[in-house]
């Protein structure tokens, strides 16, 4: 074990390495077939012209630090939904939000409960927090909500229903 390993907790050292999927170019080069990648939230049609226009407008302000609190966006969302702005939490995608939730709510000795075949980030964020992920078997190719409810115990800090609710808001 190197000196650096001493500072890394065992639950982090035991995590598997993330292995990304192939890029479109790599798949095409290996197969000789034109490909469209349907994973990773990629879009084979390119960005919307509205997005390109917004990027061009924003490019004139890249010399300033961004608003880390996203105050304007949080206020707009709060007004639209009739809630206080401090009830709105923004993140750079569902994975970032899940990492925040895990770092805040989970610790060694606690657990998160979900269904098998859930989002790939659930095991990663749970293990990174030193917690245990309880996976409930699926029923009829869907979430067994009664099974998930039954798996929740005094050590549960997050469950798939809270994770799903947070992602869809």
């Amino acid at each position: 074990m190197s000196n650096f390993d001493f500072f890394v907790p065992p639950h982090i050292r035991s995590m598997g390495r993330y292995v990304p999927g192939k890029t479109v170019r790599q798949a095409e080069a290996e197969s000789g077939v034109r490909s469209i990648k349907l994973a990773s939230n990629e879009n084979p049609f390119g960005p919307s012209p509205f997005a390109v226009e917004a990027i061009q407008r924003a490019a004139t302000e890249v010399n300033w630090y961004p608003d880390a609190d996203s105050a304007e966006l949080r206020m707009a969302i709060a007004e639209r939904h009739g809630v206080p702005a401090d009830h709105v939490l923004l993140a750079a995608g569902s994975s970032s939000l899940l990492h925040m939730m895990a770092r805040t709510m989970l610790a060694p000795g606690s657990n998160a409960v979900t269904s098998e075949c859930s989002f790939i980030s659930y095991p990663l964020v749970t293990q990174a927090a030193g917690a245990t992920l309880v996976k409930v078997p699926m029923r009829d190719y869907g979430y067994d909500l009664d099974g998930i409810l039954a798996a929740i115990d005094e050590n549960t800090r997050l469950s798939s229903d809270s994770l799903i609710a947070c992602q869809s808001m």
Side-chain angles (χ1 to χ4, degrees), residues 1 15 19 27-28 47 50 110 117 125 137 141-142 146 148 165:
M1 179 163 44
M15 290 181 71
V19 179
E28 288 177 344
F50 296 113
S110 66
C117 301
V125 302
Y141 303 103
D146 292 329
I148 290 172

Side-chain angles (χ1 to χ4, degrees), residues 91-168:
S94 59
S95 292
S96 293
L97 181 60
L98 292 171
H99 277 282
M100 282 192 277
M101 291 172 65
R103 284 192 313 269
T104 303
M105 303 295 295
L106 298 175
S110 66
N111 70 56
V113 178
T114 191
S115 176
E116 66 180 343
C117 301
S118 292
F119 187 38
I120 192 170
S121 289
Y122 295 168
L124 300 173
V125 302
T126 303
Q127 186 175 2
T132 301
L133 184 64
V134 177
K135 293 182 183 179
V136 175
M138 295 178 72
R139 185 176 60 192
D140 298 323
Y141 303 103
Y143 276 21
D144 178 359
L145 299 181
D146 292 329
I148 290 172
L149 182 61
I152 294 173
D153 64 22
E154 67 277 356
N155 297 315
T156 303
R157 300 295 175 265
L158 295 171
S159 64
S160 58
D161 57 341
S162 63
L163 298 172
I164 292 166
C166 288
Q167 287 183 72
S168 62

Side-chain angles (χ1 to χ4, degrees), residues 53-69:
E53 184 180 317
I55 292 167
Q56 289 171 337
R57 280 194 315 271
T60 64
E61 298 179 10
V62 297
N63 54 310
W64 301 107
Y65 277 103
D67 174 12
D69 192 39

Side-chain angles (χ1 to χ4, degrees), residues 11-62:
H11 68 274
I12 299 295
R13 286 197 311 265
S14 68
M15 290 181 71
R17 199 176 81 114
Y18 173 72
V19 179
K22 296 178 180 180
T23 65
V24 171
R25 287 187 183 131
Q26 184 181 7
E28 288 177 344
E30 291 176 7
S31 68
V33 177
R34 179 157 164 24
S35 302
I36 295 176
K37 186 175 179 182
L38 299 177
S40 305
N41 295 321
E42 294 182 356
N43 176 352
F45 303 111
S48 157
F50 296 113
V52 171
E53 184 180 317
I55 292 167
Q56 289 171 337
R57 280 194 315 271
T60 64
E61 298 179 10
V62 297

Side-chain angles (χ1 to χ4, degrees), residues 73-85:
L73 179 57
R74 284 184 337 101
M75 288 297 293
I77 292 170
E79 286 177 23
R80 178 170 184 139
H81 294 283
V83 299

